[in-house]
Amino acid sequence: MLIRASRLALLAALSVLLLPTGSTSPASAPTGNRLAEVWHVDIPLPSDSDSVGARWRGRLALSTRLGFTAVDMLSGAQVWRYARDDLVVGNWMSLGDVLVAEYSRPGATEDITSLIAIGVYTGRELWRRDGLRMAGAWKGDRGDVKRDRVAVAATESGKELVGLDLRDGHTVWRRGVRDCQTDSVGMENGQPVLSGSCPGRDRLSMLDGATGRDVWSLLVTRASNVDVSLADDLIGLVVDHAVVLLDTAGHKIAARSGCWPACPVVRVGDRAVVAYQAGPDAVLEAVDVRTARSYWRLARHSPSFPSWYQGLLTDGRSVYGMLMRDEITYLLHEVDPKTGRGETLAVPVWGRTIAGAGGDFYLAQTRSRPGQAPVRRLTLLRRSPGGDGPPELSGVSPAAWPDACALLPEAHLTAIPRNRHIGDVTVPSPHACDYAGHQGEIVRTRVARVAPDQRQAQAYMTSVQVDDSDYQVRGVGDQAIVFPGYPKAVVVRAGNVVFSMEQAGAPGAVDLLALARRAADHLRSHGDRENAAQQVPSSPGLRPAWLSKSGIVVYEDQDDPVRLIGYVPQDGLIRMRTAPDGTSTKEISGDSAISPDGRSAVTASASFPSSGRDTTRITDLASGAGSLVSTVRAPRGLSWPSWSPDGRKILMTIRESHGSQERSLGFTVIDVASLKAHSVTIDDPDAHYTWLGKGTMVASSTDKRIDLYSPDGRPIRRLLGKGTPNVDGMGADSPSGRRFSTWCPGNEAEICIWNVSDGASVARIPYDAPHVVGWWGL
């Protein structure tokens, strides 16, 4: 094997968290899609867990040893950091837009624990309860912001469970646990689900979130391995190496064996999709949750290496899983739950996929280098046009893959072909080969990747070296990384080809680096395979423009009136384009918004004032001249600026902070010509405000309602059940002012379009991405 046992053990334990878009196609059909790296960021002080802390409204929070760091999912820029030098973070649970983390500090005889709630969007501390800890390992993802109202905790002795109100942390209920020990806790439709160990038996229970009483409880025969997964009115209970699917009433639906190492499960409509092992095959199966009927069964055969699905998730239309092809290669598998058909994409770097949205996928990887502090590298991968080759090969033609058994033509070794299959694709020559000698020596060789270009091959090599004992050597191909110990292995890049060699059989009988050098020289002397790899097609008639500091190229039509005037790259600063080719830009920092004509910017103050009045700056982007507008009195401040469609007015939300709590108190409208501000006080602490009706109305939105006001604060009407307006980019209002858009109520994978006049529904649009840029027409 190529990777040491410790790394394989880590891979076996990882789960996958995905929410990409849902296109489907036959599993073996080339789609022209591939995954390419967009950006990566390094986050210091990584915790032992690679798990994502939480995800909410386009922000991704990862755990560190001292707390959490959140980045913008679009740009990778850090948006907040929560850290406590006096406490060490342990386990955590994600409940909608709130993170509840367990912190500890040394005590006289044992550690003292506290639970601290943190807002996922703001990073602010919401409340703290000392003397409590997590009830068990958290089994959940983002939670349900509408239904999750209680966080389940335990006393430090572990003899009581405590239900905490998620808003302020006060105790809602308490209950004893007798002689049982809680091992895991999760939430399903706002109801806590707990698994635990009791004398002689294991127990699975669902509690009433409001009272803490049992809704139902099941006793399970004591087993060596018990695990629980939750998925939209579905519970997967793993006992030893079999999974039992239960509904939320605790009734058995179906059971499957082969949980090696796990059996992840998701639900889409009336179907449960479960992953398990059948010999060397990784299996996906769709089961009716009412009748247990099997709709389809998809087996992915891997003759040389037992592959498995590390995890599954769904966006309501498709099911996604990360399939481990061999020791260092992953495939992303997308499946239509109705038919079992889909597509497979090669993952271009090594790491754990932890999140995704809108065709973007996020990988986390802890990196430790000699003499450097460990970091967690977060990488964004995005679907992009590939070549005509299969997506399993990143769009590269199968003919571009070299013969692994022809890499050492002059060596006194016998080549034994091992495998020609990559997912559902068969390449013309073996990509895995054993070279055997007369003294029992074996060199296991594998072509790990043929990247579309050298840059992506370099990115893959960078992702492979994660341990401080791994080291690079010169003089072997273009790059070479050695994994020391036994078995010793080396990964080599020669142009856009990456291959690995591993010493097996009799130890010390071969010079592994010398053989790797000869194989790399052979590849470089037998043609440029990068030219054979299918490249991204060009766009005739369009002018390419590289966006500074972003790594992105846009193609623009000279005759198209739509122009990109600004963007937000990885550093989080707004950049206004001042040259047609995009290479020259003007930076704008802070909580800012650009006027509709691109000539001015409005920026809120960096912090709320402690005395006097808050100020807002309006800047002329051409000259750099600015004007300050005095607005609300301290301790209030303004945030979330937005321009009216005609550019004559600016709308901002009034906020006030009291310790860790922050609330909304109304809105302020600034007249740009006179630089005068008018404020309206509204008692709606959770609201934020945006323009509607082409600047004739102001909308106050929460999860439950949208209230419409005139700009001077006169109430107009209330709309119920419309969802939350999309306020990213250019706002929720259409250019005509007749319609507005929201995240659909109860389904944030869709955009809903409504009439402003009467609130009537116009359309529902599938759209699973964290941001909406704006409107065109209508």
Side-chain angles (χ1 to χ4, degrees):
M1 62 181 179
L2 174 61
I3 306 298
R4 289 183 293 278
S6 60
R7 194 173 302 179
L8 283 177
L10 171 66
L11 294 175
L14 297 180
S15 63
V16 179
L17 178 61
L18 301 169
L19 272 180
T21 53
S23 63
T24 58
S25 59
S28 59
T31 64
N33 285 330
R34 63 184 176 91
L35 294 176
E37 179 177 335
V38 179
W39 51 253
H40 66 259
V41 293
D42 290 335
I43 299 173
L45 298 173
S47 65
D48 293 334
S49 171
D50 278 331
S51 300
V52 58
R55 188 170 76 257
W56 178 253
R57 290 294 187 199
R59 298 192 171 181
L60 188 64
L62 281 82
S63 59
T64 68
R65 288 199 297 271
L66 301 180
F68 298 88
T69 296
V71 301
D72 181 85
M73 296 178 70
L74 188 64
S75 66
Q78 179 176 313
V79 290
W80 59 258
R81 176 176 176 267
Y82 181 90
R84 297 290 300 258
D85 295 335
D86 58 329
L87 301 171
V88 178
V89 69
N91 204 349
W92 45 260
M93 47 187 162
S94 173
L95 296 159
D97 59 348
V98 178
L99 263 172
V100 180
E102 178 185 288
Y103 279 81
S104 63
R105 64 185 187 278
T109 57
E110 58 184 12
D111 289 349
I112 301 171
T113 59
S114 302
L115 289 183
I116 298 178
I118 305 162
V120 177
Y121 195 80
T122 64
R124 291 189 173 94
E125 183 177 313
L126 304 178
W127 50 262
R128 172 174 172 171
R129 288 292 304 270
D130 295 329
L132 296 178
R133 61 176 176 81
M134 292 278 293
W138 176 245
K139 298 292 181 179
D141 174 18
R142 293 187 299 175
D144 188 328
V145 72
K146 294 182 175 63
R147 297 180 179 178
D148 292 346
R149 293 290 180 263
V150 174
V152 179
T155 57
E156 289 187 322
S157 65
K159 295 184 178 181
E160 271 191 314
L161 295 178
V162 183
L164 305 177
D165 189 294
L166 204 55
R167 296 169 297 180
D168 56 19
H170 79 264
T171 298
V172 179
W173 50 261
R174 306 176 76 98
R175 60 172 285 173
V177 294
R178 298 186 294 274
D179 296 328
C180 298
Q181 174 182 329
T182 304
D183 298 322
S184 69
V185 61
M187 299 290 287
E188 187 58 47
N189 286 334
Q191 306 285 66
V193 177
L194 286 76
S195 68
S197 305
C198 301
R201 307 291 291 271
D202 290 321
R203 182 185 296 270
L204 179 69
S205 305
M206 175 175 279
L207 309 185
D208 184 292
T211 65
R213 297 171 182 167
D214 284 351
V215 177
W216 52 262
S217 184
L218 298 175
L219 290 176
V220 182
T221 302
R222 176 61 55 83
S224 59
N225 176 40
V226 176
D227 197 11
V228 177
S229 60
L230 307 176
D232 296 330
D233 296 330
L234 189 69
I235 301 171
L237 174 63
V238 175
V239 181
D240 282 334
H241 300 293
V243 61
V244 180
L245 304 183
L246 307 170
D247 61 22
T248 51
H251 300 144
K252 177 181 175 181
I253 300 172
R256 295 293 185 272
S257 60
C259 298
W260 301 92
C263 283
V265 59
V266 296
R267 177 172 177 168
V268 185
D270 61 354
R271 304 183 182 200
V273 179
V274 61
Y276 56 93
Q277 293 296 118
D281 296 344
V283 178
L284 280 182
E285 185 177 1
V287 177
D288 191 299
V289 297
R290 298 162 301 185
T291 65
R293 168 195 170 193
S294 178
Y295 286 106
W296 50 261
R297 183 180 183 274
L298 180 64
R300 303 296 297 266
H301 185 60
S302 179
S304 65
F305 186 86
S307 57
W308 67 84
Y309 287 97
Q310 293 185 354
L312 302 173
L313 206 74
T314 179
D315 59 4
R317 298 186 303 276
S318 297
V319 173
Y320 306 90
M322 186 66 81
L323 182 70
M324 190 171 181
R325 191 193 87 194
D326 52 42
E327 295 96 328
I328 59 173
T329 310
Y330 295 92
L331 299 174
L332 177 67
H333 193 194
E334 176 182 3
V335 179
D336 183 342
K338 295 181 180 180
T339 64
R341 295 167 63 84
E343 73 168 324
T344 304
L345 298 169
V347 180
V349 295
W350 192 90
R352 175 195 174 190
T353 302
I354 59 171
D360 290 353
F361 301 88
Y362 300 82
L363 274 72
Q365 174 196 70
T366 300
R367 303 169 60 81
S368 178
R369 300 289 181 84
Q372 300 178 12
V375 297
R376 172 157 303 127
R377 172 158 292 185
L378 182 67
T379 302
L380 168 61
L381 301 177
R382 178 169 294 156
R383 289 175 186 259
S384 62
D388 295 330
E392 291 96 329
L393 308 184
S394 299
V396 173
S397 169
W401 281 67
D403 185 348
C405 288
L407 297 183
L408 298 173
E410 300 177 2
H412 300 291
L413 300 168
T414 302
I416 305 171
R418 290 180 53 205
N419 195 2
R420 294 174 53 205
H421 304 284
I422 300 174
D424 293 330
V425 176
T426 300
V427 292
S429 303
H431 65 83
C433 185
D434 283 354
Y435 289 91
H438 300 297
Q439 301 178 13
E441 65 270 31
I442 296 175
V443 178
R444 289 184 173 162
T445 304
R446 175 181 290 106
V447 178
R449 186 167 304 274
V450 179
D453 52 53
Q454 292 197 39
R455 182 183 62 83
Q456 294 187 52
Q458 290 171 339
Y460 179 76
M461 291 292 291
T462 301
S463 72
V464 168
Q465 185 180 1
V466 298
D467 195 280
D468 55 10
S469 62
D470 306 337
Y471 61 91
Q472 297 196 34
V473 293
R474 295 185 177 183
V476 180
D478 296 308
Q479 285 177 277
I481 299 173
V482 174
F483 301 107
Y486 183 79
K488 184 177 181 179
V490 60
V491 178
V492 181
R493 179 178 71 84
N496 64 317
V497 177
V498 177
F499 67 92
S500 64
M501 285 187 166
E502 175 192 346
Q503 179 180 322
V510 295
D511 186 339
L512 196 64
L513 290 181
L515 292 176
R517 185 180 298 110
R518 292 170 62 179
D521 292 344
H522 173 80
L523 282 172
R524 291 192 292 193
S525 64
H526 282 72
D528 184 359
R529 291 186 175 271
E530 183 173 348
N531 292 332
Q534 198 71 25
Q535 300 298 303
V536 177
S538 60
S539 301
L542 299 179
R543 181 183 63 190
W546 289 94
L547 302 183
S548 174
K549 304 291 186 180
S550 73
I552 297 172
V553 61
V554 296
Y555 292 86
E556 295 180 305
D557 189 335
Q558 299 271 17
D559 300 325
D560 193 334
V562 176
R563 286 284 185 272
L564 178 68
I565 61 173
Y567 58 96
V568 182
Q570 180 176 334
D571 57 16
L573 302 178
I574 296 177
R575 277 184 165 78
M576 299 300 300
R577 298 173 69 194
T578 57
D581 62 2
T583 57
S584 180
T585 59
K586 182 185 293 291
E587 297 177 359
I588 304 170
S589 60
D591 186 6
S592 302
I594 307 302
S595 63
D597 60 9
R599 297 177 180 177
S600 303
V602 56
T603 304
S605 56
S607 60
F608 292 172
S610 57
S611 61
R613 288 184 179 270
D614 194 24
T615 57
T616 297
R617 182 179 179 85
I618 302 175
T619 304
D620 183 278
L621 294 177
S623 65
S627 302
L628 291 177
V629 182
S630 295
T631 57
V632 294
R633 289 188 178 276
R636 299 178 179 181
L638 298 183
S639 60
W640 297 330
S642 63
W643 293 77
S644 62
D646 59 11
R648 296 179 179 179
K649 297 183 181 68
I650 297 168
L651 174 67
M652 302 181 74
T653 299
I654 304 173
R655 308 285 288 174
E656 186 177 63
S657 179
H658 292 282
S660 61
Q661 301 292 325
E662 190 172 298
R663 60 176 182 155
S664 172
L665 296 174
F667 62 87
T668 293
V669 176
I670 299 173
D671 183 273
V672 177
S674 65
L675 298 180
K676 292 183 178 180
H678 172 72
S679 296
V680 177
T681 300
I682 298 175
D683 185 14
D684 197 351
D686 297 324
H688 60 269
Y689 297 85
T690 186
W691 292 108
L692 282 187
K694 208 172 183 178
T696 62
M697 290 182 283
V698 174
S700 160
S701 64
T702 66
D703 289 332
K704 296 181 180 178
R705 68 183 186 277
I706 298 174
D707 290 327
L708 301 182
Y709 300 89
S710 65
D712 60 6
R714 177 177 53 85
I716 298 176
R717 72 176 68 90
R718 171 171 289 181
L719 304 175
L720 300 176
K722 307 302 180 186
T724 305
N726 317 112
V727 295
D728 296 325
M730 294 183 289
D733 204 11
S734 71
S736 68
R738 296 195 301 267
R739 293 169 180 172
F740 69 98
S741 63
T742 68
W743 302 109
C744 289
N747 184 1
E748 292 186 0
E750 288 185 310
I751 292 174
C752 280
I753 308 299
W754 314 91
N755 281 334
V756 173
S757 59
D758 56 8
S761 175
V762 177
R764 295 176 70 98
I765 306 169
Y767 185 86
D768 187 23
H771 301 275
V772 176
V773 176
W775 286 76
W776 176 252
L778 296 178

